[in-house]
Amino acid sequence: MQNVSETYLTLLSGLHDVESKLDVYTRDGSQIVATFDGDEIVSLSTHRKLFPENHPSIGGAVANEIDASFFVGDVEIPKMAMLKPWSRLTNGETVSEWVQKGVFWVDTRKKDYETGVLTIHGFDGILQLERMNTLNSTSSATLLNHICTTLGFQLDNRTQAASVTVKDPTYYTFREIMQMIAAVSAGNWIMTDVGKLLLVPLNGIPAETYVLVDNIGNAITFGGDRILTEVV
Amino acid sequence: MIDVTLTIDGRNFSSRLSTYSVSKEVSYSKTVTTINGKERYFGRRDRDVVVFSLIPTTELDALADYNALKNGVVTVNYSEPHYLGGVKRNVQMAVVSNLDSVFLLKSINGKVYYSGGKITLRALDV
C-alpha cells in the first residue's frame, strides 16, 4: 500500500476525476524516453491478480498486465521498454499528487499507421522470473537475495518469507523457486505498484468486518466508537 | 437562366435549372478519442453533392427527365466552381432523392409530372 496525501484522501471521498499519464523508460529504467498524458492516451488499463486461479490459494507468482494505446508521434519506444503508469485525482480545483500504478515491460506492440496510435501489452517484473537458477541448495533468504540481485529487484520490507532450505533448486526457474517459497510461507508473490516484490500471506488479507466505513474505508465513529452493522 | 453545365446520362438539364448548388460532404474514416475527451480525425474524404431543381416543365420533358434519373447511378457532367477547368466530366453519381416524391407519378394516365422538388446527386468516388 502506498502512502498518499490528505489531499488525495479528501478528493477520493468526494466527486472527482482521475487523470492518468504514462512514463516510458529504457529497458533498465535508467533513462526516461517520453511521457504521454491524457491528451495522447487513448486507453490505459492494468490487470491484477493475486491468486493463479479464481479461488484463494498459495504458492502463486502471477504477473500483472498492462494494456495501453496512445498517440506515439515520432517517439521510438525501445524494445522491452519499461512503463510506469501514474494516476492522480482532481475535482477541477484541487489536484492530488501523482500515484504510481505499477512497473511493466513492453511485451507486444501494434501500430496503426493511419492514426499513429501505438497499442501495447506488457507484464510486470514477475514474468522476468522465468530464468534458470544457478545456485545450489541453500536457504530461502539467500535465494531471494540472489534473485533480487540478478534481476535488479527489491523486496518490499513487509515481506516475511519462511526461512527454509531449498534443496536442489538448480534445475528450477526463479519463478518456480519463488512459488516454492510462497507455498511454504502460505502466501503469493505480487509486484507492488512501486515495483517491489511482496509476499502476501493468505492470513494477511484483512478479515471481513461489520464495521461501518465511508467510501474510502475509514471507520465511521459515533462519539468515538465504531459502528457495527447487522447482516440480516 | 443559370450559367452552369449539368448533363445526366447524356440529357442536358442546364437550360432548365431553377436552383443549383455543389457542396462537399466531408467524412473521416477514423475518429480517435483520448481519455481527456480530445478527438482526432483521420482519413478525410470530400465527396461532391449536387442539388438542383428545375423550372416548370412539360409532360414530355418531365418524363424524359424522370427516365434519365431513374437508373439510380448516373454519369454526370457538372459545373464545380472550385474545380480547375470549371466542369467535372463523366462522374458517377447516385441519385439519392426519392424520385417518386419529386416527380408525381400519375398511375391513371401513366404520365409523369414534375412537382418542383429538389433532386440530390451524390458522387460515388471521393
Side-chain angles (χ1 to χ4, degrees), chain A residues 129-228:
Chain A
L129 296 170
E130 294 290 354
R131 184 184 290 199
M132 291 306 293
N133 174 50
T134 52
L135 284 187
N136 293 320
S137 298
T138 184
S139 71
S140 55
T142 304
L143 275 168
L144 281 178
N145 187 47
H146 171 65
I147 292 168
C148 287
T149 306
T150 305
L151 298 176
F153 291 165
Q154 285 183 299
L155 271 188
D156 189 290
N157 56 18
R158 291 167 294 177
T159 294
Q160 291 182 323
S163 182
V164 292
T165 298
V166 182
K167 291 181 180 175
D168 298 329
T170 313
Y171 300 108
Y172 291 100
T173 64
F174 286 163
R175 189 177 194 171
E176 288 167 330
I177 293 167
M178 297 286 276
Q179 287 173 318
M180 289 179 209
I181 295 170
V184 295
S185 307
N188 295 281
W189 289 103
I190 62 164
M191 191 148 251
T192 66
D193 279 347
V194 293
K196 292 182 177 178
L197 283 169
L198 171 64
L199 180 67
V200 181
L202 203 58
N203 62 5
I205 299 170
E208 186 179 7
T209 71
Y210 299 110
V211 175
L212 192 63
V213 296
D214 62 19
N215 60 358
I216 57 172
N218 294 325
I220 297 170
T221 58
F222 182 74
D225 295 327
R226 295 181 176 194
I227 304 165
L228 291 175

Side-chain angles (χ1 to χ4, degrees), chain A:
Chain A
M1 183 178 165
Q2 293 179 74
N3 293 323
V4 290
S5 65
E6 280 299 318
T7 305
Y8 187 98
L9 295 174
T10 305
L11 288 168
L12 185 63
S13 63
L15 286 173
H16 62 268
D17 287 327
V18 179
E19 295 181 342
S20 302
K21 69 172 183 174
L22 181 68
D23 285 344
V24 180
Y25 294 79
T26 51
R27 180 178 179 173
D28 62 2
S30 63
Q31 197 177 347
I32 190 162
V33 174
T35 294
F36 299 95
D37 64 17
D39 281 344
E40 294 155 319
I41 298 171
V42 179
S43 65
L44 177 63
S45 60
T46 58
H47 315 282
R48 303 180 166 277
K49 209 172 173 186
L50 176 61
F51 305 119
E53 307 292 339
N54 290 327
H55 52 79
S57 58
I58 58 172
V62 182
N64 298 324
E65 296 174 51
I66 187 171
D67 286 296
S69 295
F70 50 89
F71 288 99
V72 70
D74 296 329
V75 177
E76 198 65 41
I77 305 294
K79 190 176 180 184
M80 280 196 76
M82 179 192 282
L83 307 170
K84 290 184 183 177
W86 302 77
S87 69
R88 69 179 181 185
L89 306 181
T90 178
N91 60 6
E93 295 176 354
T94 309
V95 178
S96 76
E97 74 279 15
W98 287 106
V99 177
Q100 191 175 335
K101 304 306 289 181
V103 180
F104 302 88
W105 282 266
V106 174
D107 181 49
T108 59
R109 66 179 81 194
K110 193 169 105 179
K111 187 173 181 182
D112 183 332
Y113 284 96
E114 184 180 5
T115 61
V117 172
L118 182 72
T119 300
I120 56 170
H121 181 74
F123 295 95
D124 70 8
I126 294 287
L127 211 65
Q128 296 186 35
L129 296 170
E130 294 290 354
R131 184 184 290 199
M132 291 306 293
N133 174 50
T134 52
L135 284 187
N136 293 320
S137 298
T138 184
S139 71
S140 55
T142 304
L143 275 168
L144 281 178
N145 187 47
H146 171 65
I147 292 168
C148 287
T149 306
T150 305
L151 298 176
F153 291 165
Q154 285 183 299
L155 271 188
D156 189 290
N157 56 18
R158 291 167 294 177
T159 294
Q160 291 182 323
S163 182
V164 292
T165 298
V166 182
K167 291 181 180 175
D168 298 329
T170 313
Y171 300 108
Y172 291 100
T173 64
F174 286 163
R175 189 177 194 171
E176 288 167 330
I177 293 167
M178 297 286 276
Q179 287 173 318
M180 289 179 209
I181 295 170
V184 295
S185 307
N188 295 281
W189 289 103
I190 62 164
M191 191 148 251
T192 66
D193 279 347
V194 293
K196 292 182 177 178
L197 283 169
L198 171 64
L199 180 67
V200 181
L202 203 58
N203 62 5
I205 299 170
E208 186 179 7
T209 71
Y210 299 110
V211 175
L212 192 63
V213 296
D214 62 19
N215 60 358
I216 57 172
N218 294 325
I220 297 170
T221 58
F222 182 74
D225 295 327
R226 295 181 176 194
I227 304 165
L228 291 175
T229 60
E230 185 182 5
V231 180
V232 290

Side-chain angles (χ1 to χ4, degrees), chain B residues 5-95:
Chain B
T5 297
L6 180 66
T7 62
I8 300 171
D9 272 357
R11 180 165 176 76
N12 193 346
F13 288 75
S14 309
S15 61
R16 295 180 296 110
L17 290 174
S18 169
T19 62
Y20 176 86
S21 69
V22 180
S23 57
K24 299 279 184 192
E25 179 190 280
V26 179
S27 62
Y28 297 89
S29 61
K30 282 185 185 171
T31 306
V32 180
T33 307
T34 68
I35 57 174
N36 278 2
K38 189 173 181 176
E39 291 185 347
R40 300 194 193 189
Y41 296 90
F42 301 92
R44 178 180 167 140
R45 290 170 181 169
D46 293 353
R47 189 185 303 275
D48 279 359
V49 177
V50 175
V51 181
F52 67 95
S53 59
L54 303 170
I55 58 176
T57 186
T58 64
E59 289 175 20
L60 279 176
D61 275 341
L63 182 61
D65 293 344
Y66 181 86
N67 287 335
L69 294 162
K70 72 177 182 184
N71 290 332
V73 176
V74 290
T75 303
V76 185
N77 298 336
Y78 61 99
S79 295
E80 211 286 70
H82 300 293
Y83 179 66
L84 193 66
V87 178
K88 286 190 173 177
R89 299 192 182 278
N90 298 320
V91 178
Q92 293 284 294
M93 303 186 99
V95 181

